[in-house]
């Protein structure tokens, strides 16, 4: 516990990431479904993605990213007071992946729970952690976007299987003297819930012989409708968060977006009137890792030295729900 301070600013004090070793290339996919490297590259920007092995669960990916982030923050695992895992590919329906992770890490002091906000999950989890720290309830938080998308991917469906990959990115949040989170904009629209979903396996449609035979435990997506929504919503979210600070595009140094499709990101840059070079991209190497995409992109942009102290960084994501979010951070 720490005392509530109204002027408390919360920032990211450490980051870490983990990607499984196995690489699945577009050429590999050509042997699995009726697709081509040319189609995948030009329509999505993806060349390869990482796939976790069958004995690895989401909490295992999260653990590696978490350990690196806590070390990078200069803390011990036992210092962590709150763990939030953003995931739509939990180890199991219950308990939460965050609790499993807490046990694996030995983070005895930490309260742990999951956030389900699809590709915007890392941003929702950061916003939640910031609120908890600002409230005075916890001194720090470990936030992880972790996904084993390959477990929910229909490897016979060319519309979706070329898109997704596995991975995890983590951030440690704590009060900071300089910079930190300046503004947050979140949004949801449940009227469009059908655009991207896993139909079976929940209370609506419990697992049965039929659900398995009809492949209803896999991700189903209305790609072209989502595409249009993604462009509009991600551009709006970024602009909304920046406008809370009266920031224009010249005030932004980096946009770290959810990596769903390079054509979406080019269109977002245009709509935000943002220099395309300010949008960080790693989609080519990892594909769409849902909540882990924004997390891993942030971590890699930091590790590559692209994000420098004092830079204004906008995290911007959109996903199933629909949900979206943008967070402005002074690094
Ligand atoms: O993570 C957050 C939410 N997700 C998104 O925001 C994803 C948004 N959507 C997209 O990124 C794109 O819509 C896709 C990459 C999924 C699809 O690209 P598209 O340009 O919208 O293609 P389309 O779905 O309109 O399909 C065009 C054609 C179709 O053939 P016909 O009907 O024109 O003959 C598809 O069957 O491309 C075909 N197609 C493929 N062809 C080769 C679909 N997938 C493939 C494939 N390889 N893998």
């Amino acid at each position: 516990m720490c005392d509530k301070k109204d002027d408390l600013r919360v920032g990211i004090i450490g980051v870490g990431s983990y990607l499984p070793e196995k690489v699945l290339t577009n050429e590999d996919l050509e042997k699995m479904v009726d697709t081509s490297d040319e189609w995948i590259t030009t329509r999505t920007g993806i060349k390869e993605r990482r796939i976790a092995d069958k004995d690895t669960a989401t909490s295992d990916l999260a653990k590696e990213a978490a350990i690196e982030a806590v070390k990078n923050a200069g803390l011990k695992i036992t210092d962590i007071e709150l763990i939030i895992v953003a995931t739509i590919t939990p180890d199991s329906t219950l308990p939460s992946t965050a609790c499993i992770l807490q046990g694996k890490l030995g983070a005895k002091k930490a309260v742990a729970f999951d956030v389900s906000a699809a590709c915007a999950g890392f941003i929702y989890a950061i916003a939640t952690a910031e609120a908890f720290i600002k409230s005075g309830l916890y001194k720090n938080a470990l936030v992880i976007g972790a996904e084993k998308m390959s477990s929910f991917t229909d490897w016979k469906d060319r519309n979706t299987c070329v898109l997704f990959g596995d991975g995890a990115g983590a951030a440690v949040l704590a009060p900071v003297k300089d910079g930190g989170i300046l503004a947050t904009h979140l949004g949801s629209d449940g009227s469009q819930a059908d655009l991207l979903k896993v139909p079976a396996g929940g209370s609506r449609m419990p697992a049965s012989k039929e659900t398995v035979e009809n492949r209803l435990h896999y991700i189903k997506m209305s790609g072209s409708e989502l595409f249009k929504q993604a462009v509009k919503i991600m551009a709006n979210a970024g602009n909304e968060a920046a406008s809370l600070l009266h920031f224009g595009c010249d005030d932004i140094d980096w946009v770290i977006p959810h990596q769903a499709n390079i054509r979406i990101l080019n269109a977002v840059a245009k709509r935000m009137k943002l220099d395309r070079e300010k949008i960080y991209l790693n989609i080519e190497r990892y594909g769409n890792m849902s909540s882990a995409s924004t997390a891993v992109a942030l971590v890699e942009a930091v590790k590559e030295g692209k994000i420098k102290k004092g830079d204004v960084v906008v995290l911007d994501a959109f996903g199933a729900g629909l949900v979206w979010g943008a967070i402005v951070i002074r690094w």
Side-chain angles (χ1 to χ4, degrees):
M1 295 273 283
C2 61
D3 297 330
K4 180 172 178 182
K5 291 189 188 110
D6 288 336
D7 58 350
L8 190 78
R9 188 64 71 70
V10 175
I12 292 176
I13 62 162
V15 292
S17 61
Y18 179 75
L19 283 313
E21 266 176 40
K22 185 184 170 195
V23 175
L24 185 73
T25 64
N26 292 350
E27 288 74 19
D28 295 328
L29 282 161
E30 284 176 355
K31 294 174 199 137
M32 295 162 64
V33 287
D34 180 16
T35 192
S36 65
D37 172 47
E38 199 267 334
W39 192 96
I40 303 170
T41 307
T42 54
R43 296 294 183 112
T44 72
I46 302 165
K47 292 298 269 185
E48 55 187 45
R49 65 289 290 145
R50 301 297 179 93
I51 304 293
D53 64 43
K54 73 173 179 35
D55 298 325
T56 300
T58 295
S59 64
D60 300 313
L61 303 174
K63 182 183 164 193
E64 302 302 325
I67 289 171
E68 188 177 86
V70 172
K71 193 171 169 208
N72 183 244
L75 296 178
K76 297 193 295 291
I77 291 289
T78 47
D79 294 328
I80 299 299
E81 299 193 356
L82 173 65
I83 295 175
I84 307 178
V85 174
T87 189
I88 48 161
T89 55
D91 287 22
S92 52
T93 305
L94 83 156
S96 70
T97 301
C99 268
I100 295 170
L101 175 67
Q102 190 249 28
K104 282 183 176 167
L105 289 172
K108 293 201 173 90
K109 210 191 321 179
V111 166
F113 61 90
D114 288 357
V115 158
S116 174
C119 307
F122 186 63
I123 286 177
Y124 271 60
I126 287 183
T128 308
E130 185 206 15
F132 267 114
I133 295 169
K134 277 192 156 178
S135 78
L137 209 49
Y138 304 114
K139 280 201 206 82
N140 59 47
L142 170 61
V143 171
I144 307 112
E147 306 282 9
K148 190 183 180 192
M149 298 299 285
S150 59
S151 292
F152 294 82
T153 298
D154 185 347
W155 293 104
K156 291 186 171 170
D157 176 12
R158 71 172 184 175
N159 291 296
T160 51
C161 76
V162 302
L163 304 174
F164 302 113
D166 303 335
V172 176
L173 278 77
V176 288
K177 287 200 186 80
D178 303 318
I181 296 171
L182 305 179
T184 301
H185 170 80
L186 303 178
S188 308
D189 177 6
S191 71
Q192 304 199 68
D194 277 343
L195 291 181
L196 183 50
K197 60 185 179 183
V198 175
S203 58
R204 173 72 57 204
M205 206 187 289
S208 67
K209 190 166 167 281
E210 286 72 33
T211 61
V212 172
E213 279 171 2
N214 293 322
R215 311 184 76 75
L216 297 176
H217 294 269
Y218 295 125
I219 297 163
K220 310 285 175 198
M221 187 171 88
S222 304
S224 49
E225 184 49 36
L226 271 176
F227 188 104
K228 286 177 234 151
Q229 296 288 345
V231 172
K232 196 172 65 186
I233 290 175
M234 282 181 76
N236 284 350
N239 283 337
E240 285 284 341
S243 70
L244 291 170
L245 303 158
H246 306 289
F247 279 6
C249 46
D250 290 343
D251 299 305
I252 297 170
D253 295 294
W254 283 103
V255 172
I256 309 291
H258 171 53
Q259 318 266 324
N261 188 314
I262 197 156
R263 291 185 294 134
I264 292 177
L265 300 180
N266 288 338
V268 167
K270 206 167 163 191
R271 234 179 143 103
M272 288 180 74
K273 298 190 175 63
L274 200 71
D275 179 357
R276 171 69 181 63
E277 301 302 308
K278 290 184 175 182
I279 304 225
Y280 182 84
L281 294 174
N282 62 6
I283 186 169
E284 191 182 34
R285 286 175 284 140
Y286 306 131
N288 180 347
M289 300 183 287
S290 189
S291 72
S293 268
T294 319
V296 170
L298 174 67
V299 177
E300 294 203 334
V302 171
K303 283 184 185 171
E304 289 164 13
K306 292 210 154 80
I307 296 177
K308 302 197 172 54
K309 194 168 163 46
D311 278 358
V312 171
V313 177
V314 180
L315 307 181
D316 192 352
F318 159 88
L322 301 176
V323 290
W324 57 90
I327 292 183
V328 185
I329 305 171
R330 190 178 294 283
W331 206 256

